[in-house]
Amino acid sequence: QDMGFKRSIGVDSNKEAVTRGEAWRDKYSGIYKFICKPMEEVIDYLPMVDYTVLANAHYYFYIKDWLDYLDKLQYKTQYCIIVTADKLNHQISMASADLTAIKSYFKNWDEVGFIDALPLEGDPSPRKLWGLCFKSRSIERSPMELDCGNHVQEGFYADIEAGKDYHRSRYYRILKGYRKKWTPEMLEKFAIDKIALFESVKTHGQLRPIIVGPNNRILDGNHLYCILKYLGNQSVLIRRV
């Protein structure tokens, strides 16, 4: 957080490593959280972020799981910083630590940074490490200047947060008049789903990109955009098509 990051989450399937991380965090009064699960199992539930750091982690993935993970990661993070080591024993079924292999895994990303191995002299725990940074071509951060097409949901989330019965909200009344072919059950489900989305974003952040077409027109994600705007976000992660 001292470096300007608003929110940090650590993920590791090794319980001992998580315990050490939590002890370090508590010692220095950090406020970030840890999740003790395999990374490939939680990526769908992690918020979208500007940076993801994979520190000597990728070569513990089976190659299929690693490629599946990267397919999802390109829509979850703007930048991926990957740290790799000089691994002598490599199983063919696992992702490789080799620099050439890593660059091939990220062939659909742009390589924007590289740090060569630092001198080991004087290092109390000498280990040959390299760092690479890749930028996703799939998402970008945009200021809150998108066109959502309508503003009928304005005020709805303030009403919900204030504890107002959503049946009495202006938005619900507009929905009833506009969605005349919907059954009462369909109308109820729609409203409840939007309230659930609001609560999810408050708790977990933005989980998926807003899809944007020409002229900054939102094609999918109007409610998500309005929620993020209501919660005070100055920018949003989007996918342009």
Side-chain angles (χ1 to χ4, degrees), residues 104-137:
S104 74
Y105 299 148
F106 284 86
K107 64 184 179 182
N108 294 325
W109 301 55
D110 293 323
E111 184 182 341
V112 295
F114 174 75
I115 297 177
D116 206 349
L118 300 175
L120 302 181
E121 185 178 351
D123 191 332
S125 304
R127 192 178 184 192
K128 213 169 185 180
L129 299 170
W130 296 266
L132 301 97
C133 183
F134 299 93
K135 186 179 188 302
S136 173
R137 298 173 187 167

Short mmCIF file of all heavy atoms in Angstrom, two decimals, residues 104-137:
data_model
loop_
_atom_site.label_atom_id
_atom_site.label_comp_id
_atom_site.label_asym_id
_atom_site.label_seq_id
_atom_site.Cartn_x
_atom_site.Cartn_y
_atom_site.Cartn_z
N SER A 104 7.09 -17.47 -25.03
CA SER A 104 6.14 -18.14 -25.93
C SER A 104 4.77 -18.27 -25.27
O SER A 104 3.75 -18.17 -25.95
CB SER A 104 6.67 -19.51 -26.35
OG SER A 104 6.58 -20.45 -25.30
N TYR A 105 4.73 -18.49 -23.94
CA TYR A 105 3.45 -18.56 -23.24
C TYR A 105 2.70 -17.22 -23.35
O TYR A 105 1.47 -17.19 -23.42
CB TYR A 105 3.65 -18.87 -21.76
CG TYR A 105 4.33 -20.19 -21.45
CD1 TYR A 105 5.14 -20.32 -20.32
CD2 TYR A 105 4.18 -21.30 -22.27
CE1 TYR A 105 5.77 -21.52 -20.02
CE2 TYR A 105 4.80 -22.50 -21.98
CZ TYR A 105 5.61 -22.61 -20.85
OH TYR A 105 6.24 -23.79 -20.55
N PHE A 106 3.47 -16.13 -23.35
CA PHE A 106 2.88 -14.78 -23.38
C PHE A 106 2.91 -14.19 -24.78
O PHE A 106 2.96 -12.97 -24.93
CB PHE A 106 3.63 -13.88 -22.40
CG PHE A 106 3.28 -14.10 -20.96
CD1 PHE A 106 3.94 -15.07 -20.22
CD2 PHE A 106 2.30 -13.36 -20.33
CE1 PHE A 106 3.64 -15.28 -18.88
CE2 PHE A 106 1.98 -13.57 -19.00
CZ PHE A 106 2.65 -14.53 -18.27
N LYS A 107 2.84 -15.03 -25.80
CA LYS A 107 2.95 -14.52 -27.17
C LYS A 107 1.78 -13.61 -27.57
O LYS A 107 1.90 -12.83 -28.51
CB LYS A 107 3.07 -15.68 -28.17
CG LYS A 107 1.85 -16.59 -28.23
CD LYS A 107 2.11 -17.76 -29.17
CE LYS A 107 0.91 -18.70 -29.23
NZ LYS A 107 1.18 -19.86 -30.12
N ASN A 108 0.66 -13.71 -26.87
CA ASN A 108 -0.48 -12.84 -27.16
C ASN A 108 -0.48 -11.58 -26.30
O ASN A 108 -1.45 -10.83 -26.27
CB ASN A 108 -1.79 -13.60 -26.96
CG ASN A 108 -1.96 -14.73 -27.95
OD1 ASN A 108 -1.55 -14.60 -29.11
ND2 ASN A 108 -2.53 -15.83 -27.52
N TRP A 109 0.62 -11.37 -25.55
CA TRP A 109 0.80 -10.18 -24.73
C TRP A 109 1.97 -9.38 -25.31
O TRP A 109 2.72 -9.89 -26.15
CB TRP A 109 1.13 -10.55 -23.29
CG TRP A 109 0.12 -11.39 -22.55
CD1 TRP A 109 -0.39 -12.60 -22.94
CD2 TRP A 109 -0.46 -11.10 -21.29
NE1 TRP A 109 -1.26 -13.08 -21.99
CE2 TRP A 109 -1.32 -12.19 -20.96
CE3 TRP A 109 -0.34 -10.06 -20.38
CZ2 TRP A 109 -2.05 -12.23 -19.79
CZ3 TRP A 109 -1.06 -10.10 -19.20
CH2 TRP A 109 -1.92 -11.18 -18.91
N ASP A 110 2.13 -8.15 -24.85
CA ASP A 110 3.29 -7.34 -25.25
C ASP A 110 4.31 -7.37 -24.12
O ASP A 110 3.98 -7.06 -22.96
CB ASP A 110 2.87 -5.89 -25.51
CG ASP A 110 1.98 -5.76 -26.74
OD1 ASP A 110 2.22 -6.51 -27.71
OD2 ASP A 110 1.06 -4.93 -26.71
N GLU A 111 5.55 -7.74 -24.45
CA GLU A 111 6.61 -7.68 -23.44
C GLU A 111 7.06 -6.23 -23.29
O GLU A 111 7.48 -5.60 -24.25
CB GLU A 111 7.80 -8.55 -23.86
CG GLU A 111 8.89 -8.60 -22.80
CD GLU A 111 10.10 -9.43 -23.21
OE1 GLU A 111 9.98 -10.26 -24.14
OE2 GLU A 111 11.18 -9.25 -22.59
N VAL A 112 6.97 -5.72 -22.07
CA VAL A 112 7.27 -4.29 -21.85
C VAL A 112 8.40 -4.07 -20.85
O VAL A 112 8.78 -2.93 -20.59
CB VAL A 112 6.01 -3.52 -21.37
CG1 VAL A 112 4.95 -3.51 -22.46
CG2 VAL A 112 5.45 -4.13 -20.09
N GLY A 113 8.95 -5.16 -20.30
CA GLY A 113 10.04 -4.99 -19.34
C GLY A 113 10.78 -6.28 -19.08
O GLY A 113 10.21 -7.37 -19.17
N PHE A 114 12.08 -6.15 -18.80
CA PHE A 114 12.91 -7.32 -18.48
C PHE A 114 14.00 -6.90 -17.51
O PHE A 114 14.64 -5.86 -17.69
CB PHE A 114 13.55 -7.90 -19.75
CG PHE A 114 14.52 -9.01 -19.49
CD1 PHE A 114 14.08 -10.27 -19.12
CD2 PHE A 114 15.90 -8.77 -19.58
CE1 PHE A 114 14.98 -11.30 -18.87
CE2 PHE A 114 16.81 -9.79 -19.33
CZ PHE A 114 16.35 -11.05 -18.97
N ILE A 115 14.20 -7.68 -16.46
CA ILE A 115 15.29 -7.47 -15.52
C ILE A 115 16.16 -8.71 -15.53
O ILE A 115 15.70 -9.81 -15.21
CB ILE A 115 14.77 -7.19 -14.09
CG1 ILE A 115 13.94 -5.91 -14.07
CG2 ILE A 115 15.95 -7.06 -13.11
CD1 ILE A 115 13.33 -5.59 -12.73
N ASP A 116 17.42 -8.52 -15.89
CA ASP A 116 18.36 -9.64 -15.96
C ASP A 116 18.76 -10.07 -14.55
O ASP A 116 18.52 -9.34 -13.56
CB ASP A 116 19.61 -9.22 -16.75
CG ASP A 116 20.31 -10.42 -17.39
OD1 ASP A 116 19.95 -11.56 -17.05
OD2 ASP A 116 21.20 -10.20 -18.22
N ALA A 117 19.33 -11.25 -14.45
CA ALA A 117 19.77 -11.77 -13.15
C ALA A 117 20.76 -10.81 -12.50
O ALA A 117 21.69 -10.32 -13.15
CB ALA A 117 20.40 -13.15 -13.32
N LEU A 118 20.55 -10.51 -11.23
CA LEU A 118 21.42 -9.60 -10.50
C LEU A 118 22.64 -10.35 -9.98
O LEU A 118 22.60 -11.57 -9.79
CB LEU A 118 20.66 -8.97 -9.34
CG LEU A 118 19.42 -8.14 -9.72
CD1 LEU A 118 18.69 -7.67 -8.47
CD2 LEU A 118 19.80 -6.96 -10.59
N PRO A 119 23.76 -9.65 -9.70
CA PRO A 119 24.95 -10.30 -9.13
C PRO A 119 24.62 -10.97 -7.81
O PRO A 119 23.84 -10.44 -7.00
CB PRO A 119 25.93 -9.14 -8.94
CG PRO A 119 25.46 -8.06 -9.87
CD PRO A 119 23.98 -8.21 -9.96
N LEU A 120 25.19 -12.15 -7.59
CA LEU A 120 24.90 -12.92 -6.38
C LEU A 120 25.85 -12.57 -5.24
O LEU A 120 25.60 -12.95 -4.08
CB LEU A 120 24.99 -14.41 -6.69
CG LEU A 120 24.04 -14.93 -7.80
CD1 LEU A 120 24.22 -16.43 -7.98
CD2 LEU A 120 22.59 -14.60 -7.48
N GLU A 121 26.90 -11.86 -5.53
CA GLU A 121 27.91 -11.55 -4.50
C GLU A 121 27.29 -10.70 -3.39
O GLU A 121 26.64 -9.68 -3.62
CB GLU A 121 29.07 -10.78 -5.14
CG GLU A 121 30.22 -10.52 -4.18
CD GLU A 121 31.37 -9.80 -4.85
OE1 GLU A 121 31.35 -9.66 -6.09
OE2 GLU A 121 32.29 -9.37 -4.13
N GLY A 122 27.49 -11.16 -2.15
CA GLY A 122 26.97 -10.45 -0.99
C GLY A 122 25.52 -10.75 -0.68
O GLY A 122 24.98 -10.25 0.32
N ASP A 123 24.87 -11.54 -1.52
CA ASP A 123 23.48 -11.90 -1.28
C ASP A 123 23.41 -13.01 -0.23
O ASP A 123 24.02 -14.07 -0.41
CB ASP A 123 22.84 -12.38 -2.59
CG ASP A 123 21.33 -12.53 -2.49
OD1 ASP A 123 20.83 -12.78 -1.38
OD2 ASP A 123 20.66 -12.40 -3.52
N PRO A 124 22.73 -12.80 0.90
CA PRO A 124 22.67 -13.83 1.95
C PRO A 124 21.95 -15.10 1.52
O PRO A 124 22.16 -16.17 2.08
CB PRO A 124 21.93 -13.14 3.10
CG PRO A 124 21.15 -12.05 2.44
CD PRO A 124 21.97 -11.60 1.27
N SER A 125 21.07 -14.97 0.51
CA SER A 125 20.35 -16.14 -0.02
C SER A 125 20.48 -16.13 -1.54
O SER A 125 19.51 -15.85 -2.26
CB SER A 125 18.88 -16.12 0.39
OG SER A 125 18.73 -16.05 1.78
N PRO A 126 21.69 -16.41 -2.04
CA PRO A 126 21.93 -16.27 -3.49
C PRO A 126 21.06 -17.21 -4.32
O PRO A 126 20.96 -18.40 -4.04
CB PRO A 126 23.41 -16.59 -3.64
CG PRO A 126 23.75 -17.42 -2.44
CD PRO A 126 22.86 -16.93 -1.33
N ARG A 127 20.43 -16.63 -5.34
CA ARG A 127 19.60 -17.39 -6.27
C ARG A 127 19.48 -16.62 -7.56
O ARG A 127 19.20 -15.42 -7.54
CB ARG A 127 18.21 -17.63 -5.66
CG ARG A 127 17.38 -18.65 -6.41
CD ARG A 127 16.06 -18.86 -5.74
NE ARG A 127 15.29 -19.89 -6.38
CZ ARG A 127 14.00 -20.13 -6.16
NH1 ARG A 127 13.34 -19.39 -5.29
NH2 ARG A 127 13.36 -21.10 -6.78
N LYS A 128 19.69 -17.26 -8.65
CA LYS A 128 19.65 -16.60 -9.95
C LYS A 128 18.19 -16.44 -10.37
O LYS A 128 17.49 -17.43 -10.60
CB LYS A 128 20.42 -17.42 -10.98
CG LYS A 128 21.11 -16.60 -12.04
CD LYS A 128 22.07 -17.45 -12.86
CE LYS A 128 22.84 -16.60 -13.85
NZ LYS A 128 23.79 -17.43 -14.64
N LEU A 129 17.77 -15.18 -10.48
CA LEU A 129 16.38 -14.89 -10.81
C LEU A 129 16.30 -13.86 -11.94
O LEU A 129 17.16 -12.99 -12.07
CB LEU A 129 15.64 -14.32 -9.59
CG LEU A 129 15.55 -15.21 -8.35
CD1 LEU A 129 15.01 -14.41 -7.18
CD2 LEU A 129 14.68 -16.43 -8.62
N TRP A 130 15.23 -13.97 -12.76
CA TRP A 130 14.96 -13.01 -13.83
C TRP A 130 13.53 -12.51 -13.68
O TRP A 130 12.67 -13.21 -13.14
CB TRP A 130 15.10 -13.66 -15.20
CG TRP A 130 16.49 -14.12 -15.53
CD1 TRP A 130 17.45 -13.43 -16.22
CD2 TRP A 130 17.06 -15.40 -15.21
NE1 TRP A 130 18.59 -14.19 -16.33
CE2 TRP A 130 18.39 -15.41 -15.73
CE3 TRP A 130 16.61 -16.52 -14.53
CZ2 TRP A 130 19.24 -16.48 -15.59
CZ3 TRP A 130 17.47 -17.60 -14.39
CH2 TRP A 130 18.76 -17.57 -14.92
N GLY A 131 13.29 -11.32 -14.15
CA GLY A 131 11.94 -10.77 -14.11
C GLY A 131 11.50 -10.27 -15.48
O GLY A 131 12.29 -9.65 -16.21
N LEU A 132 10.27 -10.56 -15.84
CA LEU A 132 9.70 -10.09 -17.10
C LEU A 132 8.35 -9.44 -16.81
O LEU A 132 7.64 -9.86 -15.88
CB LEU A 132 9.50 -11.23 -18.09
CG LEU A 132 10.73 -12.04 -18.50
CD1 LEU A 132 10.80 -13.32 -17.66
CD2 LEU A 132 10.67 -12.41 -19.97
N CYS A 133 8.01 -8.44 -17.61
CA CYS A 133 6.71 -7.80 -17.47
C CYS A 133 6.00 -7.81 -18.83
O CYS A 133 6.58 -7.42 -19.85
CB CYS A 133 6.86 -6.36 -16.98
SG CYS A 133 5.29 -5.51 -16.71
N PHE A 134 4.74 -8.27 -18.81
CA PHE A 134 3.94 -8.34 -20.02
C PHE A 134 2.67 -7.51 -19.85
O PHE A 134 2.09 -7.46 -18.76
CB PHE A 134 3.56 -9.79 -20.33
CG PHE A 134 4.74 -10.69 -20.58
CD1 PHE A 134 5.30 -11.43 -19.54
CD2 PHE A 134 5.30 -10.78 -21.84
CE1 PHE A 134 6.39 -12.26 -19.77
CE2 PHE A 134 6.39 -11.61 -22.07
CZ PHE A 134 6.94 -12.34 -21.03
N LYS A 135 2.23 -6.89 -20.94
CA LYS A 135 1.00 -6.10 -20.93
C LYS A 135 -0.07 -6.80 -21.76
O LYS A 135 0.17 -7.21 -22.89
CB LYS A 135 1.26 -4.70 -21.51
CG LYS A 135 0.06 -3.76 -21.41
CD LYS A 135 0.39 -2.38 -21.98
CE LYS A 135 -0.74 -1.39 -21.71
NZ LYS A 135 -2.03 -1.82 -22.27
N SER A 136 -1.24 -6.91 -21.17
CA SER A 136 -2.36 -7.55 -21.87
C SER A 136 -2.82 -6.70 -23.04
O SER A 136 -2.92 -5.47 -22.95
CB SER A 136 -3.53 -7.77 -20.91
OG SER A 136 -4.67 -8.23 -21.60
N ARG A 137 -3.13 -7.35 -24.16
CA ARG A 137 -3.72 -6.65 -25.31
C ARG A 137 -5.25 -6.67 -25.26
O ARG A 137 -5.90 -6.13 -26.15
CB ARG A 137 -3.26 -7.33 -26.61
CG ARG A 137 -1.77 -7.30 -26.84
CD ARG A 137 -1.41 -8.14 -28.06
NE ARG A 137 0.04 -8.28 -28.23
CZ ARG A 137 0.61 -9.14 -29.05
NH1 ARG A 137 -0.15 -9.95 -29.79
NH2 ARG A 137 1.93 -9.21 -29.13
#
